[in-house]
Amino acid sequence: MKKIFIIVFVAVTTHLVGLAQNNAKFSPERFQEDMERYIIKEACLTQDEAHRFMSVYREMRSRQMAVFGQSRKIGRKKPAGEKECLYAIKQQDKLELELKKIQQTYHNKFLEILPAGKVFDVIRAEERFHRHSLKQWSGGKPRNKQ
């Protein structure tokens, strides 16, 4: 489930960058607000829980986005030689491990704020939101494999 989360998160984040460049109507702030509302609703967070949780959640997202930015820089263009390709692969692996460490650290922080059942619901709600958003942006159609 965690691997799916990362894959969906990376796909949505990458897609958002493309939308932001191609569509002036996209607002990262609105996307964040919509996602937070969805998570609060789906995880049945009380107003107090939501208030305490969301500040920590935003902190996690900020750290994740910084790592995603580094990952995008590495993955934009295939390096010229074998040594450079090897270096890029190792860097991507390091960044993926860093993402998992961030996720683990913040899941533990979430568990200090919310019961485990609600943390589980938050994680699932975030995954569903990203999947739904990706499907909505693609018009519900499967993407070409080209």
Side-chain angles (χ1 to χ4, degrees), residues 68-116:
F68 285 132
Q70 293 174 356
S71 181
R72 277 193 304 272
K73 285 179 187 176
I74 293 170
R76 279 193 181 137
K77 190 172 142 182
K78 183 177 178 180
E82 287 297 310
K83 283 184 182 178
E84 293 83 3
C85 285
L86 178 61
Y87 178 77
I89 291 167
K90 290 185 179 210
Q91 287 302 109
Q92 285 288 19
D93 288 346
K94 283 172 73 173
L95 292 172
E96 286 182 31
L97 288 172
E98 187 175 342
L99 281 172
K100 288 309 286 178
K101 287 178 184 175
I102 291 169
Q103 188 179 42
Q104 183 180 36
T105 298
Y106 280 90
H107 285 178
N108 288 329
K109 288 182 180 187
F110 296 165
L111 290 166
E112 294 174 8
I113 299 168
L114 301 172

Side-chain angles (χ1 to χ4, degrees), residues 49-67:
E49 288 172 332
H51 176 71
R52 290 183 298 130
F53 172 77
M54 280 302 159
S55 63
V56 177
Y57 178 78
R58 288 182 198 112
E59 185 181 301
M60 178 190 74
R61 294 271 301 156
S62 175
R63 289 191 57 200
Q64 286 175 325
M65 293 306 291
V67 175

